[in-house]
Amino acid sequence: MTRYESVSAPDGGEFDAYLALPASGSGPGILVFQEIFGINDNIRGIGDRLAGEGYVALAPDMFWRLERRFERKDESDIEACMAMVQRLDFGAAVGDITASFAHLRAMPECTGKVGAIGFCLGGTLTFLCATSARVDGAGIDAAVPYYGSGIHDMLDRAGDLRCPTLFHYGDHDPFISTEQIAAVEAAVAGRPDVTVAHHDAGHAFSNWDAPSMYDAAAAEAAWAQTLAFLGRHLRG
């Protein structure tokens, strides 16, 4: 049960979002934020897996202002993907994130609570969602950023992190240093509703479409933690 939704942008225009629905037809909502590869098989697969767990998963096209439906399979075209990230307007992205949140929450299939999950660039967008996106004064109910490559540069927003959050990091990530992960931990220290999970893996360890990065053991462990976390905070 999948389709593409059309989401109205706050400054005009519309953008696509991949939607995966559970067999029951309804459930809590989860925003799924893309890696630098766009909404590809891996991200659609994440949405499908979440739908299989009973969630309404919506993955907005965050590159639509640059190129609609930009999609690359894996790290083989990394230069084109990095160029997209460098051109991304994060200010406009916050507006698109908020619009996606509002769209999902208003869908009849969504039963109320909404969480967010994202990977690499999407981990950073998940952090932005948790700290910035508000609809009728309310933010999302849970956030799971996987190896968000820009979070350590946005820690001035940590005071606006108002929902339970589970961070995933690989301890051997060549793009996110031990010091940068430690800075994130320090920024959320003392928060009983925030967990920083460490994995014996590198960057993008959850991406089964990127064979040089994928680590099955770490991916499976993180996914189990993620499902337990989302279950506690979105089904209660």
Side-chain angles (χ1 to χ4, degrees), residues 175-189:
F175 304 106
I176 307 174
S177 70
T178 300
E179 292 76 18
Q180 289 166 336
I181 297 171
V184 174
E185 290 182 298
V188 297

mmCIF file with all atom_site columns, all heavy atoms in Angstrom, residues 175-189:
data_model
loop_
_atom_site.group_PDB
_atom_site.id
_atom_site.type_symbol
_atom_site.label_atom_id
_atom_site.label_alt_id
_atom_site.label_comp_id
_atom_site.label_asym_id
_atom_site.label_entity_id
_atom_site.label_seq_id
_atom_site.pdbx_PDB_ins_code
_atom_site.Cartn_x
_atom_site.Cartn_y
_atom_site.Cartn_z
_atom_site.occupancy
_atom_site.B_iso_or_equiv
_atom_site.pdbx_formal_charge
_atom_site.auth_seq_id
_atom_site.auth_comp_id
_atom_site.auth_asym_id
_atom_site.auth_atom_id
_atom_site.pdbx_PDB_model_num
ATOM 1   N N   . PHE A 1 175 ? 33.420 10.391 8.839  1.00 0.00 ? 175 PHE A N   1
ATOM 2   C CA  . PHE A 1 175 ? 32.854 11.707 8.566  1.00 0.00 ? 175 PHE A CA  1
ATOM 3   C C   . PHE A 1 175 ? 32.385 12.432 9.829  1.00 0.00 ? 175 PHE A C   1
ATOM 4   O O   . PHE A 1 175 ? 32.149 13.637 9.795  1.00 0.00 ? 175 PHE A O   1
ATOM 5   C CB  . PHE A 1 175 ? 31.684 11.588 7.586  1.00 0.00 ? 175 PHE A CB  1
ATOM 6   C CG  . PHE A 1 175 ? 32.050 10.917 6.299  1.00 0.00 ? 175 PHE A CG  1
ATOM 7   C CD1 . PHE A 1 175 ? 31.639 9.622  6.034  1.00 0.00 ? 175 PHE A CD1 1
ATOM 8   C CD2 . PHE A 1 175 ? 32.831 11.571 5.348  1.00 0.00 ? 175 PHE A CD2 1
ATOM 9   C CE1 . PHE A 1 175 ? 31.976 8.993  4.850  1.00 0.00 ? 175 PHE A CE1 1
ATOM 10  C CE2 . PHE A 1 175 ? 33.172 10.950 4.165  1.00 0.00 ? 175 PHE A CE2 1
ATOM 11  C CZ  . PHE A 1 175 ? 32.750 9.653  3.919  1.00 0.00 ? 175 PHE A CZ  1
ATOM 12  N N   . ILE A 1 176 ? 32.219 11.703 10.918 1.00 0.00 ? 176 ILE A N   1
ATOM 13  C CA  . ILE A 1 176 ? 31.789 12.293 12.200 1.00 0.00 ? 176 ILE A CA  1
ATOM 14  C C   . ILE A 1 176 ? 32.780 11.821 13.251 1.00 0.00 ? 176 ILE A C   1
ATOM 15  O O   . ILE A 1 176 ? 32.824 10.630 13.583 1.00 0.00 ? 176 ILE A O   1
ATOM 16  C CB  . ILE A 1 176 ? 30.354 11.874 12.575 1.00 0.00 ? 176 ILE A CB  1
ATOM 17  C CG1 . ILE A 1 176 ? 29.385 12.158 11.422 1.00 0.00 ? 176 ILE A CG1 1
ATOM 18  C CG2 . ILE A 1 176 ? 29.900 12.608 13.836 1.00 0.00 ? 176 ILE A CG2 1
ATOM 19  C CD1 . ILE A 1 176 ? 27.974 11.628 11.661 1.00 0.00 ? 176 ILE A CD1 1
ATOM 20  N N   . SER A 1 177 ? 33.551 12.737 13.768 1.00 0.00 ? 177 SER A N   1
ATOM 21  C CA  . SER A 1 177 ? 34.637 12.366 14.679 1.00 0.00 ? 177 SER A CA  1
ATOM 22  C C   . SER A 1 177 ? 34.121 12.018 16.070 1.00 0.00 ? 177 SER A C   1
ATOM 23  O O   . SER A 1 177 ? 33.000 12.363 16.455 1.00 0.00 ? 177 SER A O   1
ATOM 24  C CB  . SER A 1 177 ? 35.641 13.515 14.788 1.00 0.00 ? 177 SER A CB  1
ATOM 25  O OG  . SER A 1 177 ? 35.067 14.611 15.498 1.00 0.00 ? 177 SER A OG  1
ATOM 26  N N   . THR A 1 178 ? 34.979 11.354 16.828 1.00 0.00 ? 178 THR A N   1
ATOM 27  C CA  . THR A 1 178 ? 34.668 11.029 18.224 1.00 0.00 ? 178 THR A CA  1
ATOM 28  C C   . THR A 1 178 ? 34.372 12.299 19.011 1.00 0.00 ? 178 THR A C   1
ATOM 29  O O   . THR A 1 178 ? 33.461 12.332 19.839 1.00 0.00 ? 178 THR A O   1
ATOM 30  C CB  . THR A 1 178 ? 35.846 10.270 18.858 1.00 0.00 ? 178 THR A CB  1
ATOM 31  O OG1 . THR A 1 178 ? 36.075 9.055  18.134 1.00 0.00 ? 178 THR A OG1 1
ATOM 32  C CG2 . THR A 1 178 ? 35.561 9.942  20.314 1.00 0.00 ? 178 THR A CG2 1
ATOM 33  N N   . GLU A 1 179 ? 35.124 13.362 18.730 1.00 0.00 ? 179 GLU A N   1
ATOM 34  C CA  . GLU A 1 179 ? 34.919 14.636 19.430 1.00 0.00 ? 179 GLU A CA  1
ATOM 35  C C   . GLU A 1 179 ? 33.564 15.250 19.086 1.00 0.00 ? 179 GLU A C   1
ATOM 36  O O   . GLU A 1 179 ? 32.902 15.837 19.945 1.00 0.00 ? 179 GLU A O   1
ATOM 37  C CB  . GLU A 1 179 ? 36.034 15.613 19.076 1.00 0.00 ? 179 GLU A CB  1
ATOM 38  C CG  . GLU A 1 179 ? 37.418 15.233 19.612 1.00 0.00 ? 179 GLU A CG  1
ATOM 39  C CD  . GLU A 1 179 ? 38.079 14.101 18.835 1.00 0.00 ? 179 GLU A CD  1
ATOM 40  O OE1 . GLU A 1 179 ? 37.661 13.818 17.688 1.00 0.00 ? 179 GLU A OE1 1
ATOM 41  O OE2 . GLU A 1 179 ? 39.009 13.483 19.383 1.00 0.00 ? 179 GLU A OE2 1
ATOM 42  N N   . GLN A 1 180 ? 33.147 15.114 17.847 1.00 0.00 ? 180 GLN A N   1
ATOM 43  C CA  . GLN A 1 180 ? 31.853 15.669 17.433 1.00 0.00 ? 180 GLN A CA  1
ATOM 44  C C   . GLN A 1 180 ? 30.696 14.895 18.067 1.00 0.00 ? 180 GLN A C   1
ATOM 45  O O   . GLN A 1 180 ? 29.694 15.485 18.479 1.00 0.00 ? 180 GLN A O   1
ATOM 46  C CB  . GLN A 1 180 ? 31.759 15.670 15.915 1.00 0.00 ? 180 GLN A CB  1
ATOM 47  C CG  . GLN A 1 180 ? 32.675 16.710 15.272 1.00 0.00 ? 180 GLN A CG  1
ATOM 48  C CD  . GLN A 1 180 ? 32.856 16.509 13.778 1.00 0.00 ? 180 GLN A CD  1
ATOM 49  O OE1 . GLN A 1 180 ? 32.695 15.408 13.259 1.00 0.00 ? 180 GLN A OE1 1
ATOM 50  N NE2 . GLN A 1 180 ? 33.198 17.575 13.072 1.00 0.00 ? 180 GLN A NE2 1
ATOM 51  N N   . ILE A 1 181 ? 30.845 13.580 18.149 1.00 0.00 ? 181 ILE A N   1
ATOM 52  C CA  . ILE A 1 181 ? 29.823 12.780 18.836 1.00 0.00 ? 181 ILE A CA  1
ATOM 53  C C   . ILE A 1 181 ? 29.780 13.145 20.313 1.00 0.00 ? 181 ILE A C   1
ATOM 54  O O   . ILE A 1 181 ? 28.706 13.286 20.910 1.00 0.00 ? 181 ILE A O   1
ATOM 55  C CB  . ILE A 1 181 ? 30.101 11.280 18.652 1.00 0.00 ? 181 ILE A CB  1
ATOM 56  C CG1 . ILE A 1 181 ? 30.023 10.900 17.169 1.00 0.00 ? 181 ILE A CG1 1
ATOM 57  C CG2 . ILE A 1 181 ? 29.111 10.449 19.467 1.00 0.00 ? 181 ILE A CG2 1
ATOM 58  C CD1 . ILE A 1 181 ? 30.486 9.489  16.869 1.00 0.00 ? 181 ILE A CD1 1
ATOM 59  N N   . ALA A 1 182 ? 30.950 13.335 20.912 1.00 0.00 ? 182 ALA A N   1
ATOM 60  C CA  . ALA A 1 182 ? 31.017 13.717 22.324 1.00 0.00 ? 182 ALA A CA  1
ATOM 61  C C   . ALA A 1 182 ? 30.349 15.070 22.564 1.00 0.00 ? 182 ALA A C   1
ATOM 62  O O   . ALA A 1 182 ? 29.719 15.291 23.609 1.00 0.00 ? 182 ALA A O   1
ATOM 63  C CB  . ALA A 1 182 ? 32.467 13.754 22.787 1.00 0.00 ? 182 ALA A CB  1
ATOM 64  N N   . ALA A 1 183 ? 30.463 15.979 21.594 1.00 0.00 ? 183 ALA A N   1
ATOM 65  C CA  . ALA A 1 183 ? 29.816 17.281 21.726 1.00 0.00 ? 183 ALA A CA  1
ATOM 66  C C   . ALA A 1 183 ? 28.299 17.137 21.742 1.00 0.00 ? 183 ALA A C   1
ATOM 67  O O   . ALA A 1 183 ? 27.603 17.835 22.496 1.00 0.00 ? 183 ALA A O   1
ATOM 68  C CB  . ALA A 1 183 ? 30.250 18.199 20.586 1.00 0.00 ? 183 ALA A CB  1
ATOM 69  N N   . VAL A 1 184 ? 27.776 16.237 20.919 1.00 0.00 ? 184 VAL A N   1
ATOM 70  C CA  . VAL A 1 184 ? 26.333 15.976 20.937 1.00 0.00 ? 184 VAL A CA  1
ATOM 71  C C   . VAL A 1 184 ? 25.923 15.410 22.289 1.00 0.00 ? 184 VAL A C   1
ATOM 72  O O   . VAL A 1 184 ? 24.928 15.842 22.891 1.00 0.00 ? 184 VAL A O   1
ATOM 73  C CB  . VAL A 1 184 ? 25.940 15.007 19.799 1.00 0.00 ? 184 VAL A CB  1
ATOM 74  C CG1 . VAL A 1 184 ? 24.473 14.618 19.903 1.00 0.00 ? 184 VAL A CG1 1
ATOM 75  C CG2 . VAL A 1 184 ? 26.230 15.634 18.435 1.00 0.00 ? 184 VAL A CG2 1
ATOM 76  N N   . GLU A 1 185 ? 26.701 14.459 22.785 1.00 0.00 ? 185 GLU A N   1
ATOM 77  C CA  . GLU A 1 185 ? 26.390 13.855 24.085 1.00 0.00 ? 185 GLU A CA  1
ATOM 78  C C   . GLU A 1 185 ? 26.402 14.909 25.185 1.00 0.00 ? 185 GLU A C   1
ATOM 79  O O   . GLU A 1 185 ? 25.532 14.910 26.071 1.00 0.00 ? 185 GLU A O   1
ATOM 80  C CB  . GLU A 1 185 ? 27.391 12.744 24.399 1.00 0.00 ? 185 GLU A CB  1
ATOM 81  C CG  . GLU A 1 185 ? 27.214 11.524 23.519 1.00 0.00 ? 185 GLU A CG  1
ATOM 82  C CD  . GLU A 1 185 ? 28.171 10.398 23.868 1.00 0.00 ? 185 GLU A CD  1
ATOM 83  O OE1 . GLU A 1 185 ? 29.397 10.604 23.759 1.00 0.00 ? 185 GLU A OE1 1
ATOM 84  O OE2 . GLU A 1 185 ? 27.693 9.313  24.240 1.00 0.00 ? 185 GLU A OE2 1
ATOM 85  N N   . ALA A 1 186 ? 27.369 15.798 25.144 1.00 0.00 ? 186 ALA A N   1
ATOM 86  C CA  . ALA A 1 186 ? 27.451 16.842 26.171 1.00 0.00 ? 186 ALA A CA  1
ATOM 87  C C   . ALA A 1 186 ? 26.257 17.780 26.096 1.00 0.00 ? 186 ALA A C   1
ATOM 88  O O   . ALA A 1 186 ? 25.750 18.240 27.136 1.00 0.00 ? 186 ALA A O   1
ATOM 89  C CB  . ALA A 1 186 ? 28.752 17.626 26.004 1.00 0.00 ? 186 ALA A CB  1
ATOM 90  N N   . ALA A 1 187 ? 25.791 18.064 24.891 1.00 0.00 ? 187 ALA A N   1
ATOM 91  C CA  . ALA A 1 187 ? 24.676 18.999 24.714 1.00 0.00 ? 187 ALA A CA  1
ATOM 92  C C   . ALA A 1 187 ? 23.367 18.446 25.249 1.00 0.00 ? 187 ALA A C   1
ATOM 93  O O   . ALA A 1 187 ? 22.465 19.210 25.603 1.00 0.00 ? 187 ALA A O   1
ATOM 94  C CB  . ALA A 1 187 ? 24.525 19.355 23.238 1.00 0.00 ? 187 ALA A CB  1
ATOM 95  N N   . VAL A 1 188 ? 23.236 17.106 25.313 1.00 0.00 ? 188 VAL A N   1
ATOM 96  C CA  . VAL A 1 188 ? 21.984 16.499 25.792 1.00 0.00 ? 188 VAL A CA  1
ATOM 97  C C   . VAL A 1 188 ? 22.178 15.791 27.122 1.00 0.00 ? 188 VAL A C   1
ATOM 98  O O   . VAL A 1 188 ? 21.282 15.079 27.591 1.00 0.00 ? 188 VAL A O   1
ATOM 99  C CB  . VAL A 1 188 ? 21.414 15.520 24.746 1.00 0.00 ? 188 VAL A CB  1
ATOM 100 C CG1 . VAL A 1 188 ? 21.065 16.254 23.461 1.00 0.00 ? 188 VAL A CG1 1
ATOM 101 C CG2 . VAL A 1 188 ? 22.388 14.371 24.453 1.00 0.00 ? 188 VAL A CG2 1
ATOM 102 N N   . ALA A 1 189 ? 23.333 15.994 27.753 1.00 0.00 ? 189 ALA A N   1
ATOM 103 C CA  . ALA A 1 189 ? 23.614 15.341 29.033 1.00 0.00 ? 189 ALA A CA  1
ATOM 104 C C   . ALA A 1 189 ? 22.556 15.705 30.068 1.00 0.00 ? 189 ALA A C   1
ATOM 105 O O   . ALA A 1 189 ? 22.105 16.847 30.146 1.00 0.00 ? 189 ALA A O   1
ATOM 106 C CB  . ALA A 1 189 ? 24.998 15.750 29.528 1.00 0.00 ? 189 ALA A CB  1
#
